[in-house]
Amino acid sequence: MSAYHPLTAEEAIALAKSLPGIFSESTVLNCREIGDGNLNLVFHVTSENSNESTIIKQAVPYAKVVGESWPLSLDRARIERQALEIQHRLCSDLVPEVYAYSDELAYTVMEDLSEYTIMRKGLIDGNAYPKFAEHIGQFLARTLFFTSDLGMNQQEKKELAGRFVNPDLCKITEDLIFEDPYRNSANNNYSANIEDEAEALRNDLPLHFEVALLREKFLTHAQALLHGDLHTGSIFVTPESTKVIDPEFAYFGPMGFDIGAIIGNLLLNYVAQPGWNQNVENLSIREERLLDMVKEVWTHFEASFRHLWNTELLDEMSKTPGYQDYYLTEILRDAAGFAGCKMIRRIVGLSHVADIEGIPDESLREAAQRKALAVGKNLVRHHRSVGSIYDILKLVQLASTEIGVSK
Ligand code: SR1
Ligand code: MG
């Protein structure tokens, strides 16, 4: 019989104490369960008499946000831990260190990042993160390149992919991102004032065609080991440092999915800005900063990825002239489409984002929701003809203008 059970705070303390190298021997420990995400328990264990601390993250056998009626495999804790270990090996400054784990109890003990801010919150508060684009560009380039057929032995990659078969968590994405927003679903969640938008999404067959293409990519294109849920709630930041957490949705999929997650979430914050800024000057500074970040995420990713390709490539046929440019354009197109899907799901589907839901004024909130849908739909509709990051920015501007005209 399995020993699995959800840990109590006392058990979390006993576990932390039993691990060598985290706390000094005589220290008195406290513990708080601080998990505010959709799926897991998170214990923050701190010392009363020093600044030593740690995090114990434990999976529960269902989706916490919905309840026991939505069972989920505990194996996701192993997948998350192994993804963290791989990402830490490839980007040691950008990923927390794993100290210990138990696959049976589905927990991982890791570095505490309490002095960091969750990026979504930092952006809502209007903070600037000048190093973020460079850091995340590097994270994306290194984790995606070195787990793809470009930077990894192709037989070893297949073996590794076998360890990252993640059906439960992939199904969440397949349903919540690529299906529910386009049909009547009990999972959907939006207020009555945007029913017209939800109905338009359900009836837009040319849009469904593009989503079906992106969904097929998500289902079948095992390009590299993805983080799988790289939104701004999965990233801790300070102005100087970035740490990527929570890769429990990791699986082998299309590289553009991770890049699109970042771009889509920066754009969700961008469309929300009028809801958070009464001052016109501040508003335009922040909007411009966010669009610059979108551009820089891509340009940093592209520069690092091209550098890795030119210096670390293992695949002979990939040296064929023109192939690198083709490959990067395909990633960018996928990223544009996935960014759009991610924006749409956060407005009409299950699990919204505080950037938009937290806007205090109802009419500004509704305006942000409509703008997110306009931008998201534009990105999905036109993703296959994108040729540069500037085309993505143009699609964003175009949607903003269209919304302005229709007011
Ligand atoms: C039922 S889980 C809902 C969402 O939370 C995670 O962060 C993923 O984005 C998932 O789609
Ligand atoms: Mg998460």
Side-chain angles (χ1 to χ4, degrees):
M1 211 181 82
S2 161
Y4 178 83
H5 61 278
L7 295 175
T8 62
E10 291 68 34
E11 286 174 308
I13 288 179
L15 166 61
K17 256 192 184 151
S18 72
L19 298 168
I22 303 181
F23 293 102
S24 338
E25 280 207 351
S26 56
T27 197
V28 179
L29 299 186
N30 292 318
C31 176
R32 266 185 340 120
E33 201 281 303
I34 55 166
D36 61 354
N38 291 326
L39 302 178
N40 304 295
L41 300 173
V42 180
F43 298 96
H44 186 210
V45 185
T46 51
S47 159
E48 229 172 68
N49 32 12
S50 75
N51 56 10
E52 296 157 332
S53 60
T54 196
I55 288 290
I56 302 175
K57 179 169 178 182
Q58 187 184 33
V60 291
Y62 52 86
K64 212 175 74 179
V65 64
V66 177
E68 296 187 28
S69 62
W70 190 330
L72 281 183
S73 143
L74 292 172
D75 189 42
R76 71 182 192 276
R78 174 196 59 81
I79 288 178
E80 173 168 358
R81 189 252 310 161
Q82 292 188 339
L84 274 176
E85 287 170 340
I86 291 172
Q87 291 161 354
H88 186 266
R89 181 168 49 75
L90 293 169
C91 305
S92 54
D93 291 346
L94 302 173
V95 178
E97 189 181 346
V98 169
Y99 298 145
Y101 64 88
S102 160
D103 289 340
E104 195 175 20
L105 286 168
Y107 70 68
T108 304
V109 185
M110 64 186 112
E111 193 180 339
D112 177 25
L113 300 170
S114 299
E115 72 276 27
Y116 288 68
T117 307
I118 281 289
M119 186 171 188
R120 189 180 303 290
K121 183 175 182 313
L123 290 178
I124 292 171
D125 292 344
N127 297 328
Y129 297 105
K131 303 294 281 177
F132 171 74
E134 185 187 337
H135 290 161
I136 205 72
Q138 209 176 97
F139 172 86
L140 289 164
R142 291 185 63 79
T143 59
L144 298 177
F145 181 87
F146 284 115
T147 62
S148 75
D149 291 299
L150 302 167
M152 188 171 183
N153 171 285
Q154 289 150 8
Q155 276 53 54
E156 285 170 16
K157 179 192 166 217
K158 290 175 185 67
E159 299 277 344
L160 187 66
R163 285 193 261 137
F164 285 94
V165 175
N166 197 353
D168 287 12
L169 287 261
C170 283
K171 179 159 171 53
I172 291 180
T173 302
E174 288 151 23
D175 291 351
L176 299 193
I177 299 184
F178 295 113
E179 199 172 309
D180 291 340
Y182 309 98
R183 62 181 186 126
N184 281 311
S185 162
N187 290 330
N188 287 342
N189 170 28
Y190 54 84
S191 46
N193 53 337
I194 58 162
E195 178 56 48
D196 59 320
E197 296 276 7
E199 191 186 351
L201 282 172
R202 289 196 293 272
N203 295 328
D204 191 338
L205 294 183
L207 185 76
H208 292 192
F209 181 83
E210 299 301 326
V211 175
L213 294 179
L214 289 158
R215 187 171 193 274
E216 186 206 357
K217 277 245 163 109
F218 182 85
L219 289 166
T220 62
H221 199 43
Q223 211 172 14
L225 178 62
L226 306 190
H227 176 285
D229 194 27
L230 197 48
H231 55 80
T232 46
S234 297
I235 302 170
F236 272 116
V237 278
T238 69
E240 297 80 32
S241 177
T242 304
K243 300 273 185 183
V244 177
I245 59 164
D246 273 8
E248 67 205 306
F249 285 71
Y251 86 112
F252 273 75
M255 297 182 183
F257 190 74
D258 274 0
I259 303 164
I262 298 284
I263 292 177
N265 277 271
L266 290 175
L267 291 176
L268 282 165
N269 190 270
Y270 163 80
V271 300
Q273 284 304 315
W276 296 106
N277 287 288
Q278 269 66 59
N279 177 304
V280 181
E281 215 173 297
N282 280 350
L283 173 61
S284 75
I285 290 172
R286 290 200 183 146
E287 286 179 333
E288 204 174 310
R289 191 198 286 156
L290 284 154
L291 294 183
D292 275 352
M293 267 168 114
V294 168
K295 184 184 77 193
E296 284 167 16
V297 166
W298 174 260
T299 52
H300 280 291
F301 162 75
E302 182 182 11
S304 297
F305 197 84
R306 283 189 190 275
H307 176 73
L308 293 172
W309 190 307
N310 296 337
T311 54
E312 308 272 352
L313 186 68
L314 295 182
D315 185 55
E316 277 302 308
M317 285 306 284
S318 299
K319 293 180 181 158
T320 307
Y323 184 55
Q324 187 187 109
D325 287 344
Y326 171 87
Y327 197 104
L328 274 151
T329 303
E330 285 299 298
I331 298 177
L332 181 68
R333 289 179 175 164
D334 291 352
F338 290 131
C341 291
K342 293 216 157 218
M343 295 182 76
I344 293 169
R345 66 76 61 113
R346 293 293 185 190
I347 305 302
V348 296
L350 183 83
S351 184
H352 292 191
V353 290
D355 316 51
I356 289 181
E357 290 313 295
I359 295 174
D361 180 278
E362 204 177 313
S363 66
L364 291 174
R365 193 184 324 129
E366 181 180 330
Q369 290 166 337
R370 290 183 186 276
K371 193 163 164 184
L373 291 173
V375 172
K377 286 194 283 189
N378 247 5
L379 291 172
V380 172
R381 276 192 194 116
H382 301 293
H383 75 277
R384 285 187 291 144
S385 52
V386 160
S388 80
I389 188 63
Y390 296 100
D391 291 339
I392 291 185
L393 297 177
K394 272 187 223 148
L395 289 169
V396 174
Q397 301 288 11
L398 193 67
S400 313
T401 320
E402 283 162 4
I403 283 267
V405 170
S406 72
K407 260 192 216 156

